């Protein structure tokens, strides 16, 4: 018989005896069956607490076909996961909801064909009840792979490809956020408004560029293509993009940068080139991260509710996608401008 520290490990039979019910009744209570009276359920839970009984998760999974585990897959390299505060906020939001529901979080990254194959095979093997996918790029095969295997999925941000349907999705209003950022720079008197875009193989990058172009058009401004440079949502990517922007000779007096991380890199390059922010070049970022609040000068930016995004993703997966209470649901979260000193 199993022992732990010289003391007998509590068994299902011991719980049943303490509660004065049968073994099957204890199993039904543990597995959440509604076919048990409140009085009996309370007696079983009291016995479990008194004895310190812990159900065997493997056995429970065989009965319920549930693992009580949710996967969060970030389609980026591991160093990006820990360097970018966007992902930390998503994890905070997801974790808060799963904690309330007594569910476990499995966090993993996948970038490149081999990692996507490994993660796809694992998630399709009944190891999780559902998956949350974040930071999808155009070449990510996970959406199609998990759809084929029947794994419930919620996307954080719409997939880039229209060929990959996302029936359950939580997204940010990237277009209107970018419009507002660009309009702010135009309304404060700037004439040569440039943009450092996000990756153009991601929906967020595409939509923020679209918002910039729409805002310029609404103001009657023609876009000088020398003022449009692509970045990759990282600090170094922003620094490199700003250097290219300055070297092109477009002479920007303001830049809408599609993420705070890239804006931090852009500020560094401007300072290295002897240009002051905002006197010579004004900047507006996108995210409203803690990092942006502590730049010199503090960053004017577009606030996106990232923690709420994680919460809504988890809620949508657990309450709708897994129990299949609806065929689809799209949640669009709003943004707003936060004006500080950089532009």
């Amino acid at each position: 018989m199993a022992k732990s520290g010289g003391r007998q490990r509590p068994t299902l039979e011991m719980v049943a005896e303490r509660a004065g019910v049968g073994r099957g009744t204890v199993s039904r209570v543990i597995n959440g069956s509604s076919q048990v009276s409140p009085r009996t359920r309370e007696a079983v839970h009291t016995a479990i607490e008194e004895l310190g009984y812990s159900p065997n998760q493997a056995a429970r999974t065989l009965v319920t076909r549930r693992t009580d585990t949710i996967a969060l897959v970030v389609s980026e390299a591991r160093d990006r996961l820990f360097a970018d505060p966007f992902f930390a906020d998503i994890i905070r939001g997801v974790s808060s909801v799963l904690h309330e529901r007594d569910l476990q979080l499995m966090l993993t990254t996948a970038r490149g064909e081999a990692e996507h194959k490994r993660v796809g095979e694992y998630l399709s093997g009944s190891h999780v009840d559902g998956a949350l996918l974040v930071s999808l790029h155009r070449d990510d095969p996970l959406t199609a792979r998990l759809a084929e295997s029947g794994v419930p999925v919620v996307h954080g941000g719409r997939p880039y490809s229209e060929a990959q349907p996302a029936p359950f999705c939580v997204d940010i209003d990237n277009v209107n956020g970018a419009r507002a950022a660009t309009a702010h720079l135009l309304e404060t008197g700037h004439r040569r408004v440039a943009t450092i875009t996000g990756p153009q193989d991601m929906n967020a990058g595409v939509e923020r560029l679209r918002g910039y172009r729409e805002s310029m058009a609404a103001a009657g401004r023609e876009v000088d293509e020398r003022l449009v440079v692509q970045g990759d949502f990282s600090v170094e990517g922003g620094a490199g993009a700003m250097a290219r922007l300055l070297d092109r000779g477009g002479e920007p007096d303001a830049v809408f940068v599609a993420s705070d991380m890239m804006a931090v890199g852009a500020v560094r390059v401007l300072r290295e080139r002897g240009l002051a922010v905002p006197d010579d070049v004004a900047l507006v970022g996108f995210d409203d991260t803690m990092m942006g609040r502590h730049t010199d000068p503090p960053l004017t930016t577009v606030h996106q509710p990232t923690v709420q995004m994680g919460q809504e993703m988890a809620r949508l997966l657990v309450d709708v996608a897994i129990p299949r209470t609806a065929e689809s649901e799209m949640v669009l979260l709003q943004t707003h401008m936060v004006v500080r000193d950089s532009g």
Side-chain angles (χ1 to χ4, degrees):
M1 186 173 293
K3 302 272 184 178
S4 178
R7 179 172 173 269
Q8 182 178 347
R9 180 178 178 180
T11 64
L12 202 67
E13 289 75 11
M14 293 169 66
V15 173
E17 183 178 355
R18 175 69 65 94
V21 299
R23 186 180 187 280
T25 299
V26 174
S27 293
R28 284 192 290 275
V29 171
I30 291 172
N31 294 320
S33 172
S34 61
Q35 298 178 342
V36 180
S37 70
R39 183 176 178 180
T40 298
R41 184 177 292 106
E42 182 179 355
V44 171
H45 283 305
T46 298
I48 288 172
E49 185 175 347
E50 290 176 351
L51 293 171
Y53 174 74
S54 178
N56 183 297
Q57 182 62 40
R60 182 180 178 186
T61 298
L62 288 174
V63 174
T64 64
R65 297 188 180 277
R66 289 184 53 189
T67 66
D68 289 343
T69 300
I70 301 299
L72 173 59
V73 184
V74 178
S75 290
E76 298 290 352
R78 288 176 183 82
D79 58 346
R80 286 289 298 277
L81 171 64
F82 296 107
D84 193 330
F86 171 84
F87 299 121
D89 283 348
I90 290 290
I91 294 168
R92 282 175 53 204
V94 169
S95 297
S96 67
V97 172
L98 297 187
H99 177 73
E100 292 172 357
R101 312 298 179 87
D102 291 326
L103 299 173
Q104 302 298 315
L105 173 64
M106 186 196 87
L107 176 64
T108 188
T109 58
R111 195 76 187 105
E113 184 177 351
E115 288 190 354
H116 278 119
K117 185 173 186 294
R118 172 183 56 80
V119 171
E121 289 176 350
Y122 183 85
L123 298 182
S124 301
S126 301
H127 297 291
V128 299
D129 296 331
L132 305 166
L133 305 184
V134 178
S135 201
L136 290 173
H137 294 255
R138 177 171 45 206
D139 58 350
D140 290 337
L142 275 178
T143 296
R145 173 78 185 245
L146 297 181
E148 290 172 1
S149 61
V151 177
V153 169
V154 169
H155 292 82
R158 281 167 287 191
Y160 176 86
S161 173
E162 293 295 332
Q164 296 183 340
F168 298 102
C169 181
V170 179
D171 205 357
I172 300 294
D173 193 346
N174 293 294
V175 175
N176 276 328
R179 282 187 191 135
T182 308
H184 171 79
L185 291 170
L186 292 169
E187 289 164 4
T188 49
H190 297 93
R191 307 293 302 175
R192 303 283 297 166
V193 180
T195 185
I196 295 176
T197 78
Q200 294 302 289
D201 66 346
M202 298 181 69
N203 204 56
V206 170
E207 290 192 337
R208 291 175 196 179
L209 175 57
R210 175 183 152 198
Y212 161 81
R213 291 188 181 278
E214 289 182 0
S215 191
M216 293 287 283
R221 303 289 184 86
E222 186 174 346
V223 175
D224 181 344
E225 294 303 327
R226 292 178 298 172
L227 298 180
V228 179
V229 180
Q230 183 174 325
D232 65 359
F233 287 151
S234 72
V235 172
E236 292 306 317
M242 178 55 80
R244 295 195 304 276
L245 183 60
L246 296 175
D247 292 341
R248 285 183 172 187
E251 299 182 354
D253 61 1
V255 186
F256 162 51
V257 189
S259 79
D260 284 1
M261 293 281 283
M262 292 195 299
V264 170
V267 169
R268 186 181 76 203
V269 169
L270 287 169
R271 185 172 292 119
E272 290 170 353
R273 298 288 184 97
L275 297 170
V277 178
D279 295 341
D280 296 316
V281 181
L283 286 182
V284 173
F286 198 115
D287 288 328
D288 191 20
T289 61
M290 186 65 69
M291 182 183 294
R293 296 168 207 172
H294 295 287
T295 56
D296 181 21
L299 193 63
T300 294
T301 188
V302 177
H303 174 83
Q304 62 171 335
T306 315
V307 174
Q308 183 187 358
M309 185 180 187
Q311 292 170 333
E312 290 295 329
M313 289 169 59
R315 178 200 64 78
L316 190 57
L317 181 64
V318 174
D319 295 348
V320 182
I322 291 176
R324 304 186 189 281
T325 57
E327 292 300 317
S328 64
E329 184 173 335
M330 169 69 184
V331 178
L332 186 65
L333 302 177
Q334 299 305 308
T335 62
H336 64 264
M337 286 293 301
V338 179
V339 179
R340 299 193 182 100
D341 299 335
S342 69

